[in-house]
Amino acid sequence: MEPDEGVVKFRATHATRALDARIHGELAARLGGWRTVLFGLGLIGQDAGRYGGVGYGNVSGRVGPFPGARGARAFLVSGTATGGLPCVDLEDLCLVRRYDIAGNTVLSEGPRVPSSESMTHGAVYDLAPHLRCVLHAHCPAVWRARAALGLPTTPPDVTYGTPQMARAVARLARESRLLERGLFAMAGHEDGVVAFGRSPDLAGAALVTAVARAAALAFETTGRSCG
């Protein structure tokens, strides 16, 4: 486990205010639905026996205007310290309006301050304007099988939530079939896996499929798919 798991590593300028449900309610509901599924699977959560008891995993979805310039592709993201909640709604989210990877800064508003992984979410959205959802999960089975599964993977010396991680994601997109796969692992972030796509449903399907593939691989190797 990284000793600073869950720590925000960027400089945040945040305005604490309510988010308008008329504008963001539908997207918040879709993100909340997948967030509930991932929590039930143990891919997002908080456990005293994992990562020092700090919450893990987060979800985000793009908001308009589209396509948006790089660094200004605004998105809703789950707030920091929400990992232990079994369900989230608009009150548990944050609107990231801008993110400057070179300057390591994030401009946001909402009831919660942004997730410590917000810079990485922004880096994914900067890959292509059609990307509309990012799901960051912690899945030991997929993470351990990342090479066997052929997952694009960021270097082991690159930690989460940093400009270095954002740049590593951009390199993966240039050097691998990342945009086709819609999934990558973080070698320097224990159990960290990121899925993304044109919608929450497509991102969620990519992640759950990877979990099933990891289980199938375990069965082929050991004769047991779980446990």
Side-chain angles (χ1 to χ4, degrees):
M1 185 198 80
E2 293 158 294
D4 54 355
E5 180 78 32
V7 175
V8 174
K9 299 180 179 180
F10 50 78
R11 295 187 299 277
T13 300
H14 181 76
T16 301
R17 60 170 66 102
L19 298 175
D20 192 336
R22 294 170 298 179
I23 299 173
H24 302 299
E26 181 179 356
L27 176 58
R30 296 187 69 189
L31 291 175
W34 270 104
R35 169 60 171 63
T36 298
V37 170
L38 299 182
F39 186 91
L41 293 172
L43 304 180
I44 289 177
Q46 189 168 12
D47 186 325
R50 298 176 69 180
Y51 323 118
V54 176
Y56 56 91
N58 41 73
V59 301
S60 74
R62 278 288 319 274
V63 303
F66 300 112
R70 288 184 174 88
R73 292 179 175 167
F75 56 91
L76 286 181
V77 64
S78 46
T80 192
T82 59
L85 301 176
C87 301
V88 299
D89 57 26
L90 193 56
E91 293 298 312
D92 304 304
L93 302 179
C94 170
L95 174 61
V96 172
R97 291 200 175 276
R98 292 182 178 273
Y99 44 94
D100 181 350
I101 292 171
N104 197 30
T105 59
V106 168
L107 175 66
S108 62
E109 63 183 78
R112 297 264 192 171
V113 296
S115 162
S116 58
E117 282 285 3
S118 293
M119 191 70 72
T120 304
H121 287 248
V124 173
Y125 291 125
D126 277 357
L127 296 178
H130 67 269
L131 299 178
R132 301 293 170 86
C133 180
V134 175
L135 306 175
H136 170 223
H138 280 221
C139 182
V142 173
W143 192 77
R144 290 193 297 264
R146 59 191 183 276
L149 294 172
L151 293 186
T153 302
T154 57
D157 60 344
V158 175
T159 59
Y160 80 93
T162 60
Q164 291 77 15
M165 178 61 75
R167 288 192 285 268
V169 170
R171 283 196 299 273
L172 282 184
R174 294 193 300 268
E175 299 170 1
S176 72
R177 300 172 65 184
L178 178 62
L179 287 174
E180 295 178 36
R181 294 296 302 273
L183 190 76
F184 67 92
M186 299 169 161
H189 185 38
E190 184 181 358
D191 301 335
V193 179
V194 175
F196 58 90
R198 293 176 178 268
S199 70
D201 289 351
L202 290 175
L207 182 55
V208 173
T209 297
V211 173
R213 289 185 61 208
L217 185 62
F219 182 82
E220 292 172 6
T221 304
T222 67
R224 301 178 64 189
S225 59
C226 60

